[in-house]
Amino acid sequence: MYDQPRPNPARPAMTFDRMLERVRYEGSYPTRERAEEAVRTVLAALGRQITGDERVDLAQALPVEAALTLTAQIPDTQHLTGWGFVKDLAARTGVTPAIARWDTGTVLAVVARLAGPDLLARILGQLPGGYALLFGQAELRQPQPAA
């Protein structure tokens, strides 16, 4: 079987500056620079977790500067859980897990809106548990069959 060509979606309507302002507002960051730091660190960490078509499609949905930050990362061979993602981000940036969780939730909520529900569902399907809450979504679990 061969890959079906995907239509080229329109470039994102949101500019990187607008994305930073949205993150700054939603995260109550005191400066644009602090919002940009959060965007870059969270997107870099996300870039280490997402692979395949979801990675490509998410990069196309983001402003160019954000897409470059996401795709500059080499994906890790082992996916982290949502909480593992936050702890790893905290360790890499030298902040507390609470600050890392705040940054993650703020940035990924904006990313979720840019991605849209279909792409977000595909991304969440690729990642281990715990990411839906980071993207501001309900964490729905499939019922486990009785043993």
Side-chain angles (χ1 to χ4, degrees):
M1 186 138 210
Y2 60 91
D3 289 332
Q4 295 292 320
R6 291 181 295 195
N8 285 336
R11 288 305 304 158
M14 186 178 285
T15 65
F16 188 62
D17 287 336
R18 179 82 173 117
M19 181 181 185
L20 292 180
E21 286 305 314
R22 178 93 328 243
V23 168
R24 181 178 178 194
Y25 175 77
E26 291 185 18
S28 298
Y29 293 111
T31 64
R32 182 182 185 279
E33 290 74 22
R34 178 64 185 97
E36 183 171 356
E37 178 186 339
V39 167
R40 292 193 186 278
T41 58
V42 171
L43 287 178
L46 186 62
R48 291 189 290 274
Q49 298 299 308
I50 297 179
T51 60
D53 288 342
E54 290 75 19
R55 179 183 173 101
V56 172
D57 293 345
L58 180 57
Q60 289 180 335
L62 296 173
V64 173
E65 298 89 337
L68 291 173
T69 301
L70 177 84
T71 58
Q73 303 303 309
I74 296 171
D76 287 341
T77 56
Q78 189 171 3
H79 290 298
L80 299 170
T81 64
W83 177 236
F85 180 89
V86 170
K87 290 192 310 187
D88 181 64
L89 185 64
R92 287 176 187 263
T93 58
V95 299
T96 66
I99 292 172
R101 172 60 179 94
W102 182 265
D103 290 349
T104 300
T106 301
V107 172
L108 293 185
V110 173
V111 168
R113 286 194 297 277
L114 288 170
D118 294 336
L119 177 54
L120 182 58
R122 289 177 29 222
I123 291 169
L124 292 174
Q126 182 187 88
L127 296 169
Y131 280 88
L133 293 173
L134 297 178
F135 280 96
Q137 306 293 308
E139 183 82 34
L140 302 176
R141 300 227 180 247
Q142 297 294 325
Q144 299 297 320

